[in-house]
Structure formats: C-alpha cells, structure tokens
Amino acid sequence: MYLDQRTKKFLKVFALLAFVFVLTGCGQNLDSKGQLLPDRAINAATPWSLEAGFFDFILTIPIAKGILFISDTFGNVAWGVVGMTIFINLLILPIMIKSTVSTQKMQMLQPEMERIQRKYAGRKDQASQMRQSAEIQALYKKHDVSMMSSFTTFLTLPIMLAMWQGVQRIEILYTSRLFGLELGLTPMSQITSGHWQYIFIVAIVGITQYLAIEINNIMLKRNPRYKVSKQQQSMKTMNIVMTAMIVWFALSMPTAMSLYWITTSLVTIIRTIYIQIYHIEKKREK
C-alpha cells in the first residue's frame, strides 16, 4: 500500500496517541493464580466516577455495568457478555461500513497499484516519486477511494479494549457457569486437569476467528473485477498467525473471554456479508 508523506505523518501521530490511550486503559486484572485482584473487581456497587481513572470512567465501567444489567435480565453473566458484545458492534456499525467499503475498494485496486509501483521500481529520484504519487492519487480519485476511511477501524480499538477489560473485571463472572463450563477459570488450567470439554470452546474460537478474518477475501471474490494480488497472498500467513494468537489468549484467559471472541467473530462475519451485499453490490448495481 502506498502512503504519501502527509498520510505517514498523520498515522504516526495517531498511532502514538492510540498507544498512550491504550496504555492508560491497560492494567493487570488477575494475579499469578488467575484470580481477580480485589481492587480491579467491578460489581453492581462499584461507583462510576472519575476516581477510577479516565479510561475506566469513559469506557470500561459503563461497559461492565451494561454487562451486569443484561445479566440481571437474562439470569447469567454469559448472556451479558454476548449481549453487550452485540450492542457494541451495532454501535460501531456505521464506522465499520465506511471502513469495510473503503478497504475492499483498495484491495480491488491493488493489482493496478502494483503495476504503478513496478513501473517506478528502482527510480528513487524526486521527479519519479512525484509522478508515482500523482498516478496513485489519480487512481484513488477515479475510484472514489479515501485513504483515511480505511483507518477509521482504529477508532474502535479503545472500545474493544474496554470490553476486554470489562469482561475480565466483572466479579460475578468468576463464580458463574454455562453449559457446565466455569466461566472464571482458564481453559488451559481445565484441559491440563483432564476437563476436555474446554477444548471445544477453544476450537470454536479458532474456527470463528479465522473465518472472521478470511470472510472479507471470500466476499471480495464475488466481484467480477477480482484479481489476486501479492498483498493478499502475503496476508494468508498473517491471518493464520493472528488466529493462533487469539487461540492462545482464549486458552490463557477466563473462559468468558472465549464467549466474547466467538460472539465478536460471528458478528464480524454477519456484518461483512451484510456490507458486501447491501453497501457494495447493491450500490454497484445501481
């Protein structure tokens, strides 16, 4: 992907701010035995105030309270996790529509991008670089592609982090069960103790996560102008690595987090299909 100097500077600043914001929200929630630290626990009586910290006040505590509210309604914290995950994904849907449409446009243009880059390969003089930049910008303009819209997904990262933090810090979660699974225990600890049923939920995490990553490429092939690019081929390995990372997290974190990842992956798959049909293909037909 080609980035001009202005875009690179913007992304560096944005990445720095996002990194600082994420660090603000990060905190150790569990001790060495996998037990929730008392000062990190969130329950119905936890005050919603700035004293908890800016990140917790803005995102983590409201999300955790939302999970508890849904849990009280449906009688199990597991449904609170599922319900809040769905609600948050609906909340960020407008951002994801814009980002997905732009990302797919850029992927469709990748073969043409590679052609331009091959044309100027090895030509490092300023004049050649300016001509390359002008051709790429003209390509984006012709197909109505905005570079910035594909990066709007990063705006949702603090919300996802807060959801991840909120799930881990809900006190009642560590005494809850669903389908015979202890939600507060890690699948790793249970599998090594001979409770093999935990393998199934981790396997579902891996399968749904991989499909959630791969679904965009699957839907991309529905476009009659689709051509495989070098970038897409190189992304295959990255997709497998990302899936393996999530599976490792699922093994080493409370089982309730697996419910969060499964729900998020299923919502991502459904959302991508919806966007492809109603915001890309329907628009193309018109």
Side-chain angles (χ1 to χ4, degrees), residues 26-83:
C26 286
Q28 185 176 352
N29 301 319
L30 309 178
D31 61 22
S32 58
K33 296 180 180 179
Q35 300 296 313
L36 180 64
L37 296 170
D39 62 334
R40 298 291 290 173
I42 297 177
N43 53 45
T46 300
W48 184 11
S49 68
L50 272 171
E51 292 180 3
F54 179 75
F55 189 87
D56 283 358
F57 175 74
I58 295 294
L59 292 173
T60 307
I61 293 178
I63 287 174
K65 295 282 188 181
I67 293 173
L68 290 171
F69 174 78
I70 298 172
S71 302
D72 291 340
T73 304
F74 292 94
N76 193 310
V77 70
W79 305 125
V81 173
V82 171

Side-chain angles (χ1 to χ4, degrees), residues 28-37 168 173-174 183-186 189 252-255:
Q28 185 176 352
N29 301 319
L30 309 178
D31 61 22
S32 58
K33 296 180 180 179
Q35 300 296 313
L36 180 64
L37 296 170
Q168 283 196 68
L173 177 143
Y174 294 86
L183 299 181
L185 301 178
T186 66
S189 67
S252 55
M253 291 183 179
T255 302

Side-chain angles (χ1 to χ4, degrees), residues 214 216-224 226 228 236:
E214 191 64 24
N216 192 58
N217 288 332
I218 294 172
M219 300 307 292
L220 194 65
K221 293 175 183 178
R222 292 165 58 93
N223 194 312
Y226 171 78
V228 179
K236 289 283 186 182

Side-chain angles (χ1 to χ4, degrees), residues 6 14 24 40 68 71 73 75 94 97 115-116 126 137 146 157 160 171 174 188 193 202 211 232 256 277-278:
R6 181 182 176 186
F14 181 83
T24 303
R40 298 291 290 173
L68 290 171
S71 302
T73 304
I97 289 173
R115 179 185 59 78
I116 295 173
Q126 187 176 4
Q137 294 303 325
S146 171
L157 291 181
M160 295 296 102
E171 193 171 28
Y174 294 86
M188 179 75 81
S193 299
V202 175
L211 288 175
Q232 287 170 301
I277 294 173
Y278 291 98

